[in-house]
Amino acid sequence: MSAYSLGPLLHEGKAKRVYATDQADVVAVEFKDDATAFNAQKKAQLAGKGQMNCRISALIFEHFEALGIPTHFLGVDGTNWMLVRPVQVVPLEVVIRNVAAGSLCKQLPIAAGTRLDPPLLDLYYKDDSLGDPLLTDARLRLLGLVSDGQKAAIEAMAWRVNDALLALFGGVGLELVDFKIELGFTADGALVLADEISPDNCRLWDLAVADDNDRILDKDRFRQDLGGVVEAYGEVLKRVQGCCPEPRIYG
Ligand code: UDP
């Protein structure tokens, strides 16, 4: 017998569906095979992507719990389902960049591949209809989304995540170029890491490969039509699974 039963669909995003369950403190996340880029202007179905991202995220969340980084993760169910704690998602996309790539190089005269020391933390307002605009401190205060204390806690959590991911990926020959995380508050007010951590929202380069395209093991393969997207995600999975505890099975 299953430990829960699915309730109504609460939210459908670009890569996941979120369902209520019969337990008030548990929601179910289904990882889809849909790939989108450029604010969903480019779309495709990539068989196996949902499964890869579910497993990679579960491994990383389990690793983070062991390190004391709080997450919404409660366990997995099968290959594409993750059970998580319901959170009030903070409508911010928190990006940390260790190496220049992507939008940073389109918006500023910085060559792709330039090491950023110290790394750069950028906050974006999470709203697809506005194209997820970059925020300044003044704009964040104007929106009143978070208090100064909450902003400090969110940024501190992002830096801890960066340290943990740099160590994890660096240990398996992957360069963590940048990543995006989302955070949320649980019903009792605790700040936890939410969403997912996968090659959909991290840029990862194979340190053993010199070629600028061949080294890419993340969603840039899809954005740039390089092919081999699911194979690249599979390579990331193969490397991290030896370094993380086996994810809990829910129920
Ligand atoms: N990212 C993401 N979702 C977004 C925007 C960015 O997961 O809506 C991730 C992206 O995969 C990369 C990092 O955040 O790892 C920085 O992305 P960037 O700002 O360079 O934008 P992009 O080039 O992806 O448009």
Side-chain angles (χ1 to χ4, degrees), residues 14 37-39 93-97 100-107 122 124 126 128 131-132 176-182 195-196 198-204 218-220 223:
K14 289 178 290 227
F38 311 119
N39 204 5
E93 299 201 338
V94 185
V95 170
I96 289 190
R97 305 171 187 278
S103 68
L104 183 72
C105 303
K106 292 195 185 112
Q107 293 166 2
D122 283 330
Y124 296 84
K126 183 177 160 60
D128 284 339
D132 297 339
L176 176 65
V177 174
D178 60 26
F179 66 88
K180 181 267 297 183
I181 53 172
E182 295 180 27
D195 194 42
E196 65 178 283
S198 74
D200 267 6
N201 38 45
C202 300
R203 284 196 170 92
L204 295 165
D218 57 67
K219 198 161 94 172
D220 276 349
R223 294 187 186 99

Side-chain angles (χ1 to χ4, degrees), residues 173-195:
L174 297 174
E175 168 115 78
L176 176 65
V177 174
D178 60 26
F179 66 88
K180 181 267 297 183
I181 53 172
E182 295 180 27
L183 301 100
F185 290 99
T186 60
D188 52 9
L191 180 67
V192 300
L193 190 56
D195 194 42

Side-chain angles (χ1 to χ4, degrees), residues 224-236:
Q224 299 173 29
D225 289 320
L226 297 173
V229 182
V230 176
E231 291 76 6
Y233 286 31
E235 180 62 28
V236 173

Side-chain angles (χ1 to χ4, degrees), residues 5-32:
S5 46
L6 277 187
L9 179 67
L10 298 174
H11 170 74
E12 177 151 11
K14 289 178 290 227
K16 298 186 286 297
R17 292 187 194 93
V18 181
Y19 293 85
T21 73
D22 57 347
Q23 296 166 37
D25 53 354
V26 180
V27 294
V29 181
E30 181 188 17
F31 284 69
K32 302 190 287 184

